[in-house]
Every structure is written in structure tokens, then in C-alpha cells.
Amino acid sequence: MERIRSAFHSMMKSERYSRFTLQPSENGERHAEVNLSDYAAEDGAEAPGSPSFRPEPLLHSRRTAAFVILGTVILFVAGYLIGYISHQKPMAESDCGQSVTVETGGTNTGEPSPAQTVPPPDVSLSWKDVTQLLTDKLSSEAFKKTLKEFDLFSRTAGSEGDLNLANRIFTTFKTLEMKPWTDIHYVQLPMPDSNNPNTVYFGSDVKPAGYLAYSKPGRVEGRLVYGNYGRQEDLDFVQGRVDLKGSVLLLRAGKITFAQQVDNAARMGASAVLIYLDTKDYNLVTDTELYGHVHLGSGDPYTPGFPSFNHTQFAPTESAGLPKIPAQTITANTAAALLRNIGGPEVDASTDFKGELKSVTYKLGGSQNITVEVNNVLVNKEIHNVFGVVKGFTDPDRYVVLGAQRDAWGRGYTRATVGTSVLIELANAFHEMVKK
């Protein structure tokens, strides 16, 4: 009977993974749905696909389907007959849950029949058991090794370093028998123009290495004004003392996102934004370059509401969360030079406007002009999303989804490197737990 069950299980077993498709709705608009593919991989076979390619699902003919159905019926009938013949008397279980023995079929010869023992059912692991297993298998030594392996100087989305990381993760998942595959998407990403770098003009020219993705390009000139963190209450406080209309706001990072800072500044009438890291908020080297993005939203802002499908054409549209003014990052050293010459009224000591840059008296400004030029350009990039599966035993069609950010606008150690390393170590731990 067990052989028949095993054969039936092998014939009907399939691997199914989710894929996005576009479906028409009743009102004529299209929407995204998650569907399961029909691709099936046999036990022990390597999953098709590579870091750059995944084949189409296999198609089965009607004739093959008919044979499968006929074979299923035959196996069920044969299994029923064999089970009926070999088990004339059922097993019994006592009220207290202990296994008991019963007589099996045979002639009445006066000799005792051999006893059969029913084993107790397997006990499922509790959440406490699982967390303890993970605690035992996750070590600081393993994390140090993984962090070092996945720390690259360049990991910008679509770059050679990003592709290298994707291939490493794919290989790791394959080694862990997670049957990995890769989905490829094409997106437009803003990058600095190497031939026409972003520049800040204030007495002398400064060409910062950092940048803010999705900033509006352009060249603007305005009065330099210090606006603390760029929160609405900060800008309301400054507006009562210095006119923000047409100004270039100098803001320190923190409290709110870059996108919120730029959006607040635009709504107050500012013409551009400069953002830096103050040593009061961040323990860092004062020439550290700052990277980030200023899209007030999520996903690809050039396909709002939809994933960036391969070879799918969308009507030309943009996210409403894209900024309306230029924005650029500068180092703490550059910010200190600007604040020493900003002029204007001094910051009230009762406020939290004062940072800790050396040899700087924090003033609101409004008297000195500054020019900001942002020349970021949109570049089409190919990005790879890598997937792997540790299949469950009880509910293999249900999923717990874990993910991590792999790319970064800059070095990205804190979020991208650490996140990827945690994901890899979890995959190692789960693989070992399932195997043993």
C-alpha cells in the first residue's frame, strides 16, 4: 500500500510559484493579480532558470491528462482492494490515547496472533521550539563571515556589483536546495551625469559625490535659509522670521524622510533643498557622502500602481509623489562652510535648531544667494529579483515570505548588506532544520 501511495504522490506532485499577471476588470481597467504557474519539477531535478533566464512552464497535452486521470482511478481501486484484503479488522485506540493491540486475520489454531503496535502521532513543534532552534543555529561568527562576503563597494541597482550579488544569492539558494529562480525587470533609475556633475555654487564651486534619486533636474538660484529638519513646524517658525519664497533651504537629515523634507519645502515656496548630516544626530566622519531618494511614494514612480513588467508598455505617466524642486545632498564639512557665511538672525536658544558642527553659529540666513544645479539623468536598468523556496510539510501551498533589500544608492552597508546577510543566515538555518 505504501508503494502505491508513494507512486501516486510522485505522479501528482508539482511545484507551483506565484507570478503577476494583468487581468481586465468589469470597468475596463486593468489590474494586477497573483497567479500560480503550472511548472512542475521532479524530485531531485535541478530547478530550471539561472540568474538571467527562467523558461516558460511546460504544457501538457489532453492525451497526457487523460492517461494521468485513468492511472489515478486504477491506483485508487487497486489500493482499496489491497487495503480491504490485508486489514479485515481495524486497529483500536483506548480512551486514554495509548496504543492497544488487536488480533489480525487468521485461522483459530489456539495460538496467540502476533500483536501490532500503533505508534503515537508525531508532535508538532511549538513556536517556542522553533525560536529556540533558530537561536541555536544563528551565531555571531556566521554573521561576521556572511557580512564580509556580501559587503561590496558598489551595489547600485542594475550595476555590475548588484548583478554579482544576485548571482551569489542564487548560487547560495541552489546549494541549500531551495530551487531558486530569477525574475528580471526593466526600470528607469536616476543617476548622476558623469559628464555634467551636480554642483553647488556659494563663493566656490562644490561638486558633491552623493545625490538624491528622483530629484527634479535643473539650476536654481535663491537666498540660503537654514530650516532645521524641514518639519512643518520648523518651516512655520522660520517663515515668521525669514521669507521662504524662492529660497534654497539647508536642512539637516533626521526626524522625517528626505522625500517629506523636499515636499514640505516645495509647499512653502522654496526653490531647492540641500540636505546634510549634522554631528549632533549622527556619529560620523564629516566628509561622509550622503545618498537617498526623494520620491514621496513606493515602487517605480514611472509605472505608478503597477510592477515594472518585462516588455510591457504603459501610457507615459509619473507618480504624483515625484518632487517639484531640485534637491541635493552635501557633506557636513560643506554645510559648516555654508552656515559660517549664511548671515541673518541667530537661532533662538530655546529651540532645537542648533546642531553640533564645529566653529558654527547657527543662523537662519536669508541674506546670501546660493546656486544649486542638479543634472541627474534617467537610465534604463535591468534588475534581478532572486527567489528560493523552503517547502513545508503540512501546508506546502501556504507561504511565509521573507525578503531583504540587496541594492543601495550608495554603500548601503546598514540596510542592504545587513539585510541580505540576515536573509542568507535564515535560509541556512531553515535548511539545516528541515534536513535534520
Side-chain angles (χ1 to χ4, degrees), residues 111-122:
E111 296 179 1
S113 301
Q116 292 184 351
T117 303
V118 180
D122 293 335

Side-chain angles (χ1 to χ4, degrees), residues 2 22 37 44 66 68 75 122-123 188 196 230 233 252 307 319 321 324 331 360 362 373 375 411 426:
E2 290 299 323
L22 287 178
S37 68
V68 171
L75 285 174
D122 293 335
V123 180
Q188 286 186 310
N196 193 15
E233 58 266 31
R252 55 173 167 159
S319 168
K324 300 175 178 60
T331 65
V360 169
Y362 286 80
E373 183 176 343
N375 299 310
R411 187 70 179 268
L426 283 174

Side-chain angles (χ1 to χ4, degrees), residues 221-225 242-249 269-273:
E221 181 180 355
R223 291 167 290 102
L224 180 62
V225 176
V242 178
D243 186 14
L244 295 179
K245 186 71 173 179
S247 66
V248 174
L249 271 174
S271 61
V273 172

Side-chain angles (χ1 to χ4, degrees), residues 103-155:
E103 293 183 357
T104 59
T107 58
N108 187 9
T109 62
E111 296 179 1
S113 301
Q116 292 184 351
T117 303
V118 180
D122 293 335
V123 180
S124 299
L125 292 175
S126 67
W127 178 246
K128 184 178 180 180
D129 297 329
V130 174
T131 54
Q132 184 59 49
L133 282 171
L134 283 174
T135 301
D136 296 339
K137 295 183 182 302
L138 298 175
S139 65
S140 57
E141 292 76 14
F143 271 115
K144 288 178 182 178
K145 180 180 177 182
T146 307
L147 285 167
K148 185 176 181 180
E149 180 181 353
F150 286 91
D151 179 26
L152 294 183
F153 181 77
S154 174
R155 55 171 71 240

Side-chain angles (χ1 to χ4, degrees), residues 160-348:
E160 184 177 350
D162 178 39
L163 180 59
N164 184 14
L165 280 173
N167 290 339
R168 290 190 191 184
I169 295 171
F170 185 94
T171 301
T172 302
F173 283 177
K174 189 174 182 179
T175 302
L176 297 177
E177 301 174 336
M178 295 173 65
K179 299 181 180 179
W181 74 92
T182 300
D183 277 352
I184 299 176
H185 298 268
Y186 298 89
V187 298
Q188 286 186 310
L189 295 177
M191 301 288 180
D193 187 349
S194 58
N195 297 321
N196 193 15
N198 299 342
T199 308
V200 176
Y201 303 90
F202 190 74
S204 60
D205 299 351
V206 176
K207 294 179 170 52
Y211 73 103
L212 290 170
Y214 303 119
S215 166
K216 181 178 180 180
R219 179 187 173 106
V220 297
E221 181 180 355
R223 291 167 290 102
L224 180 62
V225 176
Y226 173 59
N228 201 21
Y229 296 107
R231 299 168 296 187
Q232 190 60 52
E233 58 266 31
D234 295 333
L235 301 186
D236 289 340
F237 175 84
V238 176
Q239 181 66 47
R241 293 157 178 79
V242 178
D243 186 14
L244 295 179
K245 186 71 173 179
S247 66
V248 174
L249 271 174
L250 175 62
L251 306 177
R252 55 173 167 159
K255 308 299 183 182
I256 59 177
T257 66
F258 297 153
Q260 291 172 315
Q261 289 178 315
V262 176
D263 184 63
N264 289 343
R267 286 190 286 107
M268 295 297 290
S271 61
V273 172
L274 296 173
I275 302 177
Y276 77 99
L277 298 171
D278 199 290
T279 52
K280 182 178 181 179
D281 306 298
Y282 300 93
N283 183 16
L284 46 75
V285 180
T286 53
D287 61 351
T288 300
E289 298 289 350
L290 181 60
Y291 298 83
H293 77 86
V294 287
H295 174 217
L296 194 65
S298 59
D300 184 353
Y302 300 105
T303 57
F306 291 91
S308 300
F309 289 105
N310 304 346
H311 313 300
T312 302
Q313 299 297 321
F314 291 92
T317 183
E318 293 182 352
S319 168
L322 286 172
K324 300 175 178 60
I325 58 176
Q328 175 62 43
T329 58
I330 57 176
T331 65
N333 285 337
T334 302
L338 298 181
L339 287 169
R340 292 188 191 105
N341 299 281
I342 194 172
E346 188 172 343
V347 171
D348 191 342

